[in-house]
Amino acid sequence: MESNKKYWKGLEELNKTPEFVELNKHEFAEPIPIEEVLSGNGLAGTTPRRNFLKTVGFGIGAVSLAACSKVPVHKSIPYLIKPEEVTPGIANFYVSSYDGQAILVKTREGRPIKIEGNPNDLFGKGGVSAQVQASVLDLYDTSRLKGPMQDGGDTAWSALDSFVKNELVAIKASGKKICLVTSTINSPSTLGAIDAFVAQYPATKHITYDAVSYTGIIQANQNSFGKAVLPHYRIDRADLVVSFGADFLGSWISAAEFTRQFASRRNEKAIKSGKMLRLIQFESGLSLTGSNADVRIPVKVSQEGLALVNLYNVISGNTLPGSKKLGNNVADNAIILAGKELVAAKGRALVVSGSNDVATQVLVNAINSLLGSYGTTIDLDNPSYQYKGNDADIIALVEEVKRGEVGAVMFLGSNPVYNYYQSSAFEDALKKVRLRVSFSGYNDETAANCNIVAPNHHYLESWGDENAVEGYYTIVQPTINPVYDTRQAEQSLLIWADNAVKDYYTFVRNTWNTNILAKGGLTGQNGWETVLQTGFIEVAEKPVSPVVFNRDLNGVAQTILGYGNKITATEGKLELQVYENNTIGNGKYANNPWLQELPEPVSKVTWDNFAAIAPKTAEEMKLEEGDLIKITANGYSTELPVLLQPGQAQGTLSVALGYGRSKAGKVGDAVGKNAYPFLVLTNGTFQGNAVAGIEKLGGDKIEFAQTQTHHSYEGRDVVRETTLQEYLKKPEHEGHEKKETYDLWAEYDRPQYNWVMAVDLNACTGCGACVVACNAENNIPVVGRDEVRRRREMHWIRIDRYYSFDEKGKTVTEEKEISKLEDLDHVSVTFQPMLCQHCDHAPCETVCPVLATTHSSEGLNQMTYNRCVGTRYCANNCPYKVRRFNWFNYWNDSRFENYIQNEHTELVLNPDVTTRFRGVMEKCSMCAQRIQAGKLNAKLEKRPLADGDIKVACQQTCPANAIIFGNANDPKSEVSLALKSERTYYVLEELNVKPGIGYQAKVRNRLPTEA
């Protein structure tokens, strides 16, 4: 299994920089100066601060009332008279929906504390993304608006309603337009409420504007097939996927769904059958999808379109005008091989592109038509409604406003003053509008420019529904009464429209009673109650109708190649690509500290965005990591630090969207820089590519809060991989035989349970959802940028990212210094979840002087927090570096007044898990509270504990099913079967610590001509 391969986490480790070598001489990041201990300060030269989440405003009073009452309460009442559905100490679960994905909301004493995936959900089958997991924290954010506002001041709902209705009547009489600008809405009830508003004010125009646009795909399908839809892609039906910059495992369209589909075709069954899905990725910046590709080819931004043209030529046997080679032998050869493989996989193939260019997507349609993908891997008859934005409509709105044709603009789920490509122009135009209404729950950039703010509920306080894919309807129901004096936007629209039904719950009920329940074979009150228990209705898919692609591609090719020439950088400049990452996304989640502190999967940077540049390009431009540069493109300039990124195409740089917020809240304000103004309107759609000028600025280097090399193994063998071809020849590689182990102590007696875990590296995509799920389940604190810089992040599970040299660079060995930085263009990436291994010979247990860490009779390594005196001997002795030390009382130390969170955040804490305090070690407990709950539930039901009754938090949220937990004493359990795989190995098993977590080696499905 390629045992001679070298793995490294970052360039500093690869090159053994003096700083890296010196840092790793010390077991801990750095000693804490005694004067800081005595003063209570965490950082020299800073003011004292409180718990990180507390200062930034995450929130007891308002929430307590909301959690305990069925109606608003204005006096204290004893909890002896409790709500019928609430039992102290017992969790309730409610079905709901987030962005069309069916979820379960766990509540304790009336307060939501955890999001779980609905096991029967169409998209994730129980798995959800990091954003979904983190969404519960936003409910307790004290940056949310506390009530309605008019002209920047507080007002009452009655006064606001009266004012808005009078204004709307006057605008209607004047003949001017009313524009409702929303992000994509797929809710039947919300669309019904909008229709009711339009019926009252016929001059209303509904404009759908998405910060990250998919107009190119939608318009291309209209041009190609007469269907203006976003397809429902079925990666699980493909044997081969070729992607051009589409990060479908990260942020493209429906990542959790695609991750589940992708992993289902790369599991043990697929590997042993020899029919494992192959992924080939052509891209500029190293994405999460590119990191998981079997073959990844870095190409310049300007060459992606040309590469698609050449791929079409290979598949069709024709030559489009203007075609030429890329001038990159590796890429040119890969295109030929990919074309041949696609033809061989006809009917089971898929080509996708992340471009928002209509012509590019039309060419992709032509390729997929030749491959017979429509009706198999692409479904146009049961399309996705997750993105419906139209770039032309928002452009037209700005022009209409400038001409004085618009009397009112309302914003729901949209924030164009921040994320419009010409935000300052939009802000200036907005001043000409008489009535400006925002439904934002925050006083965000757009709301700050509105004279009316009618704050919407958080979705956990709301009634509603969603229809993210044709035939799939999910329900949204409140799990807590409104924390603040907010109101659903739909109810505001109904009130202002003088609709007969003004109560939105009743409106939703009517929608389901008349339109949706019957589709699921349900009726009346019983049907409604059934939906509130199951969470969704799924209708049988519509039959596939044949599609015929019949367009002249000569003009399409000329448009694509012309655009490529336009963004080709001249000497001294770089080709810029802006992209959406899968931590804070498009900026909507910028005020969520769980997501800000989640390491970005590839770079492992937290609390910032950056300019990612290839090491070779940086050398040519005399740039080093951390240098501050000024980037100028499309008439906009900003300053960002340089990150040297292996795998980045030479001559390019990549910058993440979603940062640089000015009115996100205490967490998100002034974190990173705004990259939306780099977008440009080209060929009718917003494009994220440009030619950028680069200017190196003086001053000190910027230190990233980057976690990639915080935990070193000193070159030990921890990652194992092979190719599918080699695995089928010989499943067990002679270099990786099981190591002989010895019993140093009497064997533990585990008469009933022996809890173990299996982690499949072939399924794990590195998305980080498990990290946030663990945060929520186990009360793990956020520590902030400066503490992360000191290697003090508290995550119990981390996703280690390893680079290794791909075929082009595999001759580079550990002894040979890298002489060609070009070798860093072609790297393979492997992700490895790392958590406490719960070793049977746990080295932490033998050195603890107070028996704070001990071994249970069920195979778990336990922590007794009130015994721990903080010697850190256990962390020193742990070869996996998975123990965390509380340098401060991150949750509730009163000396940290300016640190981040506020008292409301304590309401998101899981009461089944002890919050840790200063001077105490902590680490993964294998969700001991879930184990106990599972055993108790089985006991109450008077039955044996069944396999699958207990799912730990990281396992439960993983869309790829990469983590399996269970009882090794049950030979038929899923985990026992997984650990019997020939791919199973144990990290550092040569140390004889007998870890309780087995890993399955990664398998890459290389192209046939590759070694």
Side-chain angles (χ1 to χ4, degrees):
M1 297 185 185
E2 302 188 26
S3 57
N4 61 342
K5 212 170 185 182
K6 180 188 177 184
Y7 296 91
W8 36 282
K9 289 185 176 181
L11 293 175
E12 59 270 53
E13 181 177 359
L14 177 67
N15 296 319
K16 294 292 188 292
T17 62
E19 295 84 359
F20 178 81
V21 172
E22 179 62 28
L23 190 62
N24 278 279
K25 288 180 181 178
H26 307 286
E27 188 61 41
F28 303 111
E30 90 285 354
I32 183 168
I34 187 63
E35 62 271 15
E36 293 183 20
V37 175
L38 296 176
S39 68
N41 292 342
L43 311 174
T46 64
T47 58
R49 63 205 188 280
R50 194 180 169 108
N51 165 315
F52 186 67
L53 286 176
K54 286 199 171 177
T55 302
V56 294
F58 278 80
I60 270 188
V63 185
S64 297
L65 289 176
C68 297
S69 61
K70 302 293 287 184
V71 295
V73 177
H74 303 286
K75 62 180 181 179
S76 298
I77 59 173
Y79 202 56
L80 295 174
I81 307 171
K82 68 178 182 65
E84 181 181 351
E85 72 279 7
V86 175
T87 301
I90 303 298
N92 286 337
F93 287 85
Y94 296 90
V95 300
S96 192
S97 176
Y98 185 92
D99 283 351
Q101 186 171 359
I103 60 173
L104 303 176
V105 183
K106 179 182 179 180
T107 67
R108 284 293 301 268
E109 288 72 57
R111 53 190 174 85
I113 63 171
K114 181 73 169 59
I115 305 297
E116 309 279 2
N118 189 320
N120 299 310
D121 172 54
L122 173 70
F123 296 108
K125 299 298 182 184
V128 296
S129 67
Q131 287 92 342
V132 180
Q133 286 289 347
S135 64
V136 67
L137 187 60
D138 293 333
L139 174 66
Y140 304 104
D141 187 352
T142 54
S143 293
R144 291 175 59 198
L145 292 174
K146 309 305 185 291
M149 299 176 63
Q150 181 174 348
D151 296 325
D154 296 337
T155 188
W157 281 107
S158 57
L160 181 143
D161 291 339
S162 177
F163 175 81
V164 171
K165 289 170 72 173
N166 289 337
E167 288 290 283
L168 290 172
V169 169
I171 293 168
K172 179 180 179 180
S174 71
K176 289 192 174 184
K177 297 178 182 178
I178 300 171
C179 294
L180 178 61
V181 182
T182 75
S183 58
T184 289
I185 292 175
N186 51 48
S187 163
S189 295
T190 302
L191 292 174
I194 292 173
D195 289 343
F197 184 85
V198 173
Q200 179 69 11
Y201 304 102
T204 301
K205 181 180 180 182
H206 179 196
I207 296 169
T208 302
Y209 163 69
D210 292 319
V212 176
S213 172
Y214 291 87
T215 299
I217 298 178
I218 297 170
Q219 189 59 51
N221 285 325
Q222 173 65 36
N223 295 352
S224 302
F225 311 113
K227 298 181 178 181
V229 296
L230 186 67
H232 190 197
Y233 295 98
R234 296 300 303 270
I235 294 171
D236 54 337
R237 296 176 180 173
D239 291 335
L240 175 62
V241 176
V242 179
S243 169
F244 291 80
D247 187 16
F248 60 83
L249 298 179
S251 58
W252 193 71
I253 302 180
S254 188
E257 177 187 17
F258 296 151
T259 297
R260 177 187 60 79
Q261 294 177 354
F262 179 75
S264 72
R265 293 299 321 285
R266 298 172 69 88
N267 56 20
E268 188 81 359
K269 180 180 178 181
I271 293 171
K272 289 188 173 181
S273 69
K275 297 181 179 179
M276 188 176 94
L277 179 148
R278 175 181 291 136
L279 170 60
I280 303 173
Q281 183 86 355
F282 295 84
E283 63 182 4
S284 173
L286 182 58
S287 68
L288 191 61
T289 304
S291 300
N292 286 277
D294 297 297
V295 179
R296 179 185 178 273
I297 309 298
V299 295
K300 291 184 177 181
V301 176
S302 61
Q303 294 180 325
E304 282 189 16
L306 177 58
L308 263 169
V309 169
N310 290 345
L311 181 66
Y312 174 84
N313 293 342
V314 173
I315 294 172
S316 66
N318 301 322
T319 301
L320 292 173
S323 301
K324 61 180 179 179
K325 289 189 174 183
L326 274 66
N328 177 337
N329 290 335
V330 175
D332 287 328
N333 291 335
I335 290 169
I336 295 173
L337 290 171
K340 292 178 179 178
E341 289 294 303
L342 285 168
V343 172
K346 189 174 182 179
R348 301 282 298 177
L350 175 64
V351 176
V352 292
S353 170
S355 172
N356 195 39
D357 178 61
V358 177
T360 300
Q361 293 295 344
V362 167
L363 184 59
V364 170
N365 291 349
I367 293 173
N368 282 315
S369 294
L370 292 174
L371 297 174
S373 299
Y374 291 97
T376 55
T377 58
I378 304 176
D379 192 344
L380 293 176
D381 297 290
N382 301 279
S384 167
Y385 302 128
Q386 290 161 286
Y387 292 93
K388 300 192 288 187
N390 189 319
D391 296 347
D393 286 349
I394 191 72
I395 296 294
L397 169 65
V398 175
E399 296 305 314
E400 290 169 353
V401 169
K402 289 180 179 178
R403 294 194 297 266
E405 299 173 6
V406 178
V409 181
M410 300 179 178
F411 301 95
L412 174 57
S414 60
N415 187 11
V417 173
Y418 162 66
N419 52 38
Y420 187 64
Y421 84 116
Q422 293 181 344
S423 56
S424 58
F426 193 98
E427 184 177 359
D428 290 341
L430 200 56
K431 296 174 183 177
K432 299 181 179 181
V433 180
R434 173 175 175 175
L435 178 63
R436 307 176 303 280
V437 179
S438 172
F439 295 105
S440 173
Y442 295 81
N443 192 28
D444 61 24
E445 291 85 351
T446 300
N449 284 274
C450 292
N451 53 346
I452 294 294
V453 182
N456 200 1
H457 288 337
H458 186 273
Y459 82 98
L460 291 175
E461 304 167 326
S462 304
W463 282 103
D465 46 35
E466 293 174 307
N467 176 210
V469 172
E470 176 65 34
Y472 187 60
Y473 301 88
T474 54
I475 196 73
V476 179
Q477 65 174 317
T479 58
I480 189 173
N481 282 316
V483 175
Y484 302 118
D485 187 18
T486 57
R487 186 173 72 187
Q488 282 203 248
E490 294 90 343
Q491 185 158 334
S492 294
L493 291 175
L494 294 173
I495 291 172
W496 299 342
D498 285 326
N499 193 68
V501 179
K502 296 181 174 62
D503 174 61
Y504 189 56
Y505 165 75
T506 303
F507 193 90
V508 173
R509 279 292 308 269
N510 291 345
T511 301
W512 281 71
N513 286 338
T514 57
N515 297 322
I516 305 175
L517 285 179
K519 295 180 179 181
L522 304 172
T523 57
Q525 181 66 20
N526 289 337
W528 176 248
E529 291 179 359
T530 298
V531 169
L532 294 183
Q533 293 175 15
T534 60
F536 62 88
I537 284 177
E538 188 172 3
V539 182
E541 291 185 352
K542 293 180 179 179
V544 174
S545 58
V547 295
V548 178
F549 183 92
N550 188 19
R551 276 182 60 96
D552 178 20
L553 291 176
N554 290 343
V556 171
Q558 291 175 5
T559 301
I560 293 172
L561 298 176
Y563 178 64
N565 293 333
K566 183 178 179 180
I567 60 173
T568 300
T570 56
E571 186 175 353
K573 295 186 176 182
L574 298 177
E575 295 179 10
L576 169 67
Q577 173 198 46
V578 297
Y579 66 97
E580 180 183 10
N581 70 23
N582 71 323
T583 54
I584 68 164
N586 61 19
K588 174 183 176 181
Y589 313 107
N591 206 50
N592 192 302
W594 283 349
L595 295 176
Q596 287 284 8
E597 196 151 299
L598 175 65
E600 194 275 326
V602 177
S603 68
K604 294 300 176 183
V605 172
T606 66
W607 294 101
D608 224 338
N609 61 343
F610 46 81
I613 300 178
K616 177 65 175 178
T617 301
E619 181 191 55
E620 293 171 350
M621 302 187 75
K622 296 181 172 54
L623 297 174
E624 297 179 356
E625 183 153 297
D627 282 344
L628 193 64
I629 60 172
K630 182 179 180 181
I631 305 171
T632 303
N634 296 334
Y636 172 71
S637 296
T638 194
E639 299 173 0
L640 282 168
V642 170
L643 179 83
L644 302 185
Q645 179 60 64
Q648 183 83 21
Q650 291 187 37
T652 68
L653 76 144
S654 298
V655 178
L657 298 166
Y659 294 83
R661 295 286 304 274
S662 60
K663 291 186 176 296
K666 294 180 180 179
V667 174
D669 285 351
V671 175
K673 297 297 176 64
N674 188 3
Y676 278 105
F678 285 133
L679 296 175
V680 64
L681 183 67
T682 303
N683 300 331
T685 57
F686 297 131
Q687 306 282 344
N689 306 319
V691 176
I694 305 297
E695 177 186 351
K696 180 179 178 179
L697 304 176
D700 296 335
K701 287 183 169 58
I702 305 298
E703 181 185 0
F704 292 111
Q706 189 176 19
T707 65
Q708 63 180 4
T709 55
H710 283 189
H711 310 285
S712 174
Y713 294 109
E714 297 297 327
R716 290 166 170 161
D717 176 23
V718 296
V719 177
R720 297 181 186 176
E721 65 175 295
T722 185
T723 65
L724 179 61
Q725 295 80 2
E726 289 298 320
Y727 178 80
L728 294 175
K729 291 178 185 176
K730 189 171 186 180
E732 292 190 77
H733 191 281
E734 63 273 10
H736 283 157
E737 304 94 348
K738 182 173 176 58
K739 301 292 190 296
E740 187 174 357
T741 59
Y742 305 90
D743 290 325
L744 303 180
W745 300 276
E747 189 67 27
Y748 293 103
D749 184 22
R750 302 183 187 87
Q752 191 169 9
Y753 304 113
N754 181 17
W755 302 115
V756 295
M757 180 178 285
V759 180
D760 190 348
L761 299 186
N762 210 50
C764 177
T765 64
C767 71
C770 54
V771 178
V772 181
C774 183
N775 281 7
E777 175 69 25
N778 293 297
N779 302 337
I780 296 172
V782 173
V783 300
R785 177 193 276 112
D786 291 332
E787 288 289 271
V788 174
R789 284 172 174 164
R790 286 163 171 75
R791 307 199 299 178
R792 294 175 179 173
E793 66 274 9
M794 296 298 293
H795 297 143
W796 284 6
I797 180 172
R798 67 177 192 264
I799 309 298
D800 289 337
R801 184 266 296 116
Y802 292 93
Y803 296 121
S804 59
F805 287 108
D806 211 339
E807 297 306 304
K808 181 176 172 58
K810 73 175 186 177
T811 56
V812 179
T813 65
E814 188 171 357
E815 292 75 26
K816 177 183 175 184
E817 183 180 356
I818 297 175
S819 58
K820 293 183 178 180
L821 289 177
E822 293 91 338
D823 292 335
L824 294 171
D825 294 350
H826 298 270
V827 291
S828 293
V829 179
T830 304
F831 294 103
Q832 183 183 56
M834 182 53 62
L835 60 159
C836 175
Q837 301 291 293
H838 293 269
C839 310
D840 283 350
H841 289 176
C844 54
E845 296 173 16
T846 58
V847 295
C848 181
V850 293
L851 290 179
T853 180
T854 55
H855 217 75
S856 81
S857 61
E858 297 180 357
L860 297 180
N861 178 257
Q862 304 173 128
M863 278 298 303
T864 307
Y865 300 124
N866 61 354
R867 281 185 188 162
C868 182
V869 295
T871 64
R872 294 191 289 164
Y873 295 163
C874 56
N876 180 65
N877 228 31
C878 175
Y880 305 99
K881 302 308 168 194
V882 290
R883 290 180 159 259
R884 305 287 173 260
F885 181 68
N886 283 272
W887 287 93
F888 307 106
N889 282 352
Y890 293 114
W891 281 112
N892 54 14
D893 192 324
S894 61
R895 292 175 297 181
F896 298 98
E897 296 296 341
N898 296 327
Y899 218 22
I900 292 189
Q901 275 172 337
N902 105 1
E903 66 273 11
H904 279 71
T905 305
E906 295 181 2
L907 293 169
V908 82
L909 296 180
N910 184 353
D912 295 327
V913 179
T914 303
T915 52
R916 284 73 61 188
F917 43 90
R918 182 176 183 171
V920 167
M921 296 298 305
E922 61 181 76
K923 53 88 194 178
C924 166
S925 68
M926 286 289 187
C927 293
Q929 69 281 2
R930 291 193 173 208
I931 295 174
Q932 292 305 112
K935 290 191 292 186
L936 178 60
N937 186 58
K939 183 178 180 180
L940 292 173
E941 295 178 2
K942 297 180 180 180
R943 61 172 178 81
L945 186 67
D947 185 42
D949 280 353
I950 300 170
K951 288 184 179 291
V952 292
C954 55
Q955 170 192 17
Q956 189 279 327
T957 199
C958 180
N961 196 33
I963 299 174
I964 302 171
F965 172 83
N967 183 13
N969 285 351
D970 178 2
K972 296 182 179 180
S973 66
E974 187 180 4
V975 71
S976 294
L977 297 175
L979 292 175
K980 290 176 183 176
S981 167
E982 296 92 344
R983 294 187 293 126
T984 297
Y985 73 98
Y986 293 85
V987 173
L988 303 181
E989 61 183 319
E990 65 271 18
L991 299 181
N992 198 40
V993 296
K994 292 192 173 182
I997 299 179
Y999 290 82
Q1000 281 77 57
K1002 187 174 184 65
V1003 180
R1004 296 189 189 273
N1005 192 359
R1006 300 291 194 187
L1007 284 168
T1009 55
E1010 291 188 281

